[in-house]
Amino acid sequence: MFRQSLLIIFVLGYSHWCSGEIVNVKNFGAAGNGKKDDTKAIQSAINFAASKQNKSTVYFPAGIYLVRDITTSSTYLENYFLLLKSHIKIEGDGKKTSIKIADNLFNRPEKNANAHLFKGQNIVDLVVQNICIDLNGKNNLVPEGSNKNAMAFLVFQGSDIRMDHVSIINCAGQNMISMRAPGSKLSVEDCEFRNGGHYVGSKIENKYQADFSFLYSEWSETKIQDNIFVQEDVNMALKGFTGGVEIHASDSEIKKNRFTGCFPAVYLASTNGILKNIHVDSNTMSKCVKGISFWCVDSIKNITISYNDITLTNAGNSAVISVGIEVPNGNTTIVSKENANNAPIINLLIKSNNISSLLPSATTYRSIGMHLHSLHNSLVEDNIISNFNLASISVSGSKWGMNNSLFLKNILRNNQPNTDEKAVAAHITVTDTYSSDIRDAPGFTNLQFEQNQITGTENFRAAPGNARNFLGVFVAVPEKVLKGVTLRENELKGSLKEKQLTIKTPLNY
């Protein structure tokens, strides 16, 4: 029901574009030769098109349009080259048209050496299509000790923005697209995003960039579909955080996208209040450190994660655990915004995903298929989880407890060895580490594992010289909440033995 109603919102929410005048930027003095500064000419064309109030098109014929002239503001992180206007279309001749930021503008430490290609305030009814944007990060590397955000699009407030067949490459700053609240109805479809963060299309690493995501949205009714988000040098990119899509608002979809080399590919965060009604469906996430990560500052409700294909690698840092789907820090005793455990997740459906690890056997890197806390009224069903060395599914107690959650008919297979001598290695682990000093912690209520198929290729030991084998199911919870965990009709196959089905180790407080 939700899927159908959301589709109607998107179809009816965006206005049908009735083209007015074609405003050619070359008629306003733009050269498009990759040498002359075309900033003022492009801005004049945008201003003229907006003044007509008839949904005119700002047209860029084939060419390379260089921008160099920065407009500064009272907040240096909001400096810009071009100021967006409402009720216009920006269009080029596809890959034959490129807007490019000039060399050596952001690689200086002073604050004014920072600007966004397009900045907008209260922008409504904007279309951008058939155009390439080169943020030229390889010639604008971030200097040590500086904070640069240098985005392609930064918009504060607005509605009804559509981008299709837009290509954005080589971002040295924080995001390629950032939509700041309040706002609604952002559609990004059939677009291509390549290289950002530590890798910006150069053999020289952009190593001082602290954080990066291709697309960040605080707008409700955000639709991200059929796009490509790729780091062409995965190893260099994953030396830092390199997010794919960040969603911070409700009623949104991330569907049929391809992510390569992200950390994480999709990030769902309730930083602006309750986050609800989100679909993450039919995406491909390859060579990612994390697939889908949650950040729970407020409650997160009614989330569907289905039919995604997630394959994980590692960032080259043994302290980082690669995780397919992750709800972080739910078991900490310190409840805080920084630890992302301020609220539970309610009505989460994780269905029919294929999650696997590309990490080699006996690696020092650690990997988990799903690491989940704080779930209420949730279902994890029909997923295939392969080749992990800590756990296929790891569930932990938390400040918010976990109740009425069912893990049904999942296929967990092909465990791998790891070299962590302190780690328990099992396809399913259920632990409660929150309440060691709190007697009335909520623990688990009606947590069920039913009809899961568990296959072990070998009885790998958790670490050399450690007597613990890779187990089928490991449960270590306080005896008072042990009754809240039910195992029923799970099937062990391959080398796993019946005695490895469950190890219960009650903790006495």
Side-chain angles (χ1 to χ4, degrees):
M1 182 65 184
F2 168 74
R3 193 185 306 268
Q4 293 174 341
S5 61
L6 188 59
L7 179 61
I8 292 172
I9 288 173
F10 285 127
V11 170
L12 298 182
Y14 294 101
S15 60
H16 296 286
W17 190 268
C18 299
S19 182
E21 283 190 53
I22 303 298
V23 179
N24 191 321
V25 295
K26 289 195 170 183
N27 292 338
F28 288 79
N33 61 9
K35 298 178 181 179
K36 177 181 175 289
D37 182 5
D38 288 331
T39 310
K40 286 185 168 60
I42 295 171
Q43 188 65 64
S44 295
I46 290 173
N47 294 345
F48 180 81
S51 72
K52 306 302 289 184
Q53 298 184 348
N54 61 359
K55 299 184 179 179
S56 293
T57 296
V58 181
Y59 172 58
F60 292 75
I64 299 175
Y65 296 84
L66 198 71
V67 293
R68 184 186 299 278
D69 187 15
I70 294 175
T71 298
T72 59
S73 66
S74 58
T75 303
Y76 81 96
L77 291 175
E78 296 180 22
N79 297 344
Y80 62 89
F81 296 98
L82 299 167
L83 193 62
L84 284 171
K85 302 289 185 176
S86 298
H87 308 297
I88 63 171
K89 179 195 288 186
I90 295 172
E91 184 169 19
D93 281 335
K95 293 189 176 181
K96 296 178 182 179
T97 300
S98 177
I99 305 175
K100 183 178 180 179
I101 292 175
D103 296 349
N104 305 317
L105 296 182
F106 308 144
N107 54 2
R108 306 188 309 276
E110 59 264 28
K111 289 186 175 182
N112 281 340
N114 181 86
H116 309 288
L117 179 56
F118 290 100
K119 177 194 166 185
Q121 183 85 32
N122 296 316
I123 301 299
V124 298
D125 201 14
L126 170 71
V127 175
V128 183
Q129 64 183 27
N130 299 322
I131 199 163
C132 300
I133 293 172
D134 185 353
L135 297 173
N136 196 14
K138 63 184 180 180
N139 294 307
N140 286 288
L141 298 177
V142 174
E144 185 175 5
S146 296
N147 183 15
K148 308 287 183 179
N149 51 5
M151 304 172 193
F153 293 90
L154 173 64
V155 179
F156 295 92
Q157 305 179 16
S159 65
D160 295 287
I161 291 183
R162 176 165 61 87
M163 299 184 187
D164 65 83
H165 295 91
V166 175
S167 175
I168 307 177
I169 63 172
N170 300 336
C171 179
Q174 189 173 28
N175 304 110
M176 287 183 171
I177 295 174
S178 183
M179 299 291 168
R180 303 299 177 87
S184 64
K185 298 184 178 69
L186 168 69
S187 173
V188 180
E189 298 189 54
D190 296 300
C191 294
E192 184 175 6
F193 303 84
R194 291 185 180 271
N195 306 331
H198 279 237
Y199 179 69
V200 290
S202 169
K203 293 181 180 179
I204 301 175
E205 182 183 355
N206 187 38
K207 61 183 178 180
Y208 298 117
Q209 177 56 36
D211 192 12
F212 169 79
S213 289
F214 286 106
L215 192 156
Y216 175 103
S217 178
E218 296 177 352
W219 286 19
S220 63
E221 299 174 57
T222 289
K223 181 180 181 181
I224 312 297
Q225 183 168 317
D226 292 310
N227 304 287
I228 295 172
F229 301 87
V230 62
Q231 299 284 4
E232 293 174 313
D233 187 328
V234 172
N235 292 333
M236 186 182 291
L238 291 180
K239 290 182 179 181
F241 289 106
T242 172
V245 172
E246 292 192 35
I247 296 296
H248 295 253
S250 298
D251 303 313
S252 297
E253 296 183 343
I254 307 97
K255 292 187 174 183
K256 299 180 182 179
N257 302 284
R258 177 161 64 89
F259 300 89
T260 303
C262 293
F263 181 6
V266 175
Y267 183 82
L268 304 177
S270 53
T271 51
N272 294 325
I274 295 173
L275 183 72
K276 62 183 180 180
N277 304 337
I278 307 292
H279 278 248
V280 183
D281 301 329
S282 303
N283 301 283
T284 299
M285 307 172 190
S286 61
K287 298 181 181 179
C288 293
V289 175
K290 297 184 188 294
I292 301 164
S293 292
F294 289 80
W295 198 254
C296 304
V297 177
D298 208 326
S299 296
I300 296 180
K301 301 180 178 181
N302 307 334
I303 310 297
T304 297
I305 299 172
S306 65
Y307 299 99
N308 299 286
D309 192 344
I310 304 172
T311 56
L312 302 180
T313 184
N314 191 275
N317 181 350
S318 60
V320 175
I321 300 176
S322 299
V323 186
I325 300 174
E326 180 181 42
V327 180
N329 295 321
N331 60 339
T332 181
T333 57
I334 302 172
V335 178
S336 69
K337 177 179 179 180
E338 289 72 21
N339 285 318
N341 64 334
N342 263 11
I345 296 177
I346 303 167
N347 296 337
L348 171 64
L349 172 63
I350 303 176
K351 180 179 176 64
S352 300
N353 300 281
N354 189 351
I355 307 174
S356 62
S357 170
L358 296 175
L359 296 174
S361 299
T363 180
T364 57
Y365 304 133
R366 295 165 294 169
S367 59
I368 299 173
M370 299 182 191
H371 193 201
L372 307 174
H373 310 81
S374 311
L375 302 188
H376 294 239
N377 303 325
S378 297
L379 174 63
V380 178
E381 179 182 26
D382 289 327
N383 300 282
I384 299 175
I385 305 176
S386 310
N387 303 323
F388 289 92
N389 65 17
L390 280 183
S392 299
I393 298 175
S394 174
V395 176
S396 296
S398 73
K399 164 74 176 179
W400 309 104
M402 182 176 290
N403 62 45
N404 299 326
S405 294
L406 173 62
F407 295 76
L408 177 68
K409 295 182 179 179
N410 299 286
I411 297 175
L412 316 177
R413 64 190 185 190
N414 300 343
N415 50 287
Q416 300 288 331
N418 71 75
T419 56
D420 188 341
E421 296 185 3
K422 297 181 181 180
V424 173
H427 278 294
I428 297 174
T429 66
V430 182
T431 60
D432 188 342
T433 57
Y434 165 72
S435 51
S436 59
D437 58 354
I438 298 179
R439 302 187 64 85
D440 298 320
F444 301 106
T445 303
N446 196 25
L447 178 63
Q448 301 178 60
F449 295 88
E450 296 188 8
Q451 301 177 52
N452 299 288
Q453 184 184 106
I454 304 172
T455 302
T457 54
E458 295 290 345
N459 285 327
F460 290 129
R461 296 183 181 278
N466 194 316
R468 294 174 297 180
N469 291 331
F470 198 104
L471 306 174
V473 180
F474 179 86
V475 181
V477 299
E479 192 163 9
K480 61 187 178 183
V481 299
L482 186 59
K483 63 183 179 181
V485 180
T486 302
L487 297 157
R488 184 181 296 115
E489 299 179 11
N490 297 286
E491 180 182 7
L492 271 70
K493 302 180 70 174
S495 62
L496 292 173
K497 299 177 182 179
E498 183 65 29
K499 68 179 182 179
Q500 293 176 293
L501 175 59
T502 309
I503 296 178
K504 298 178 180 178
T505 308
L507 303 178
N508 296 315
Y509 294 170

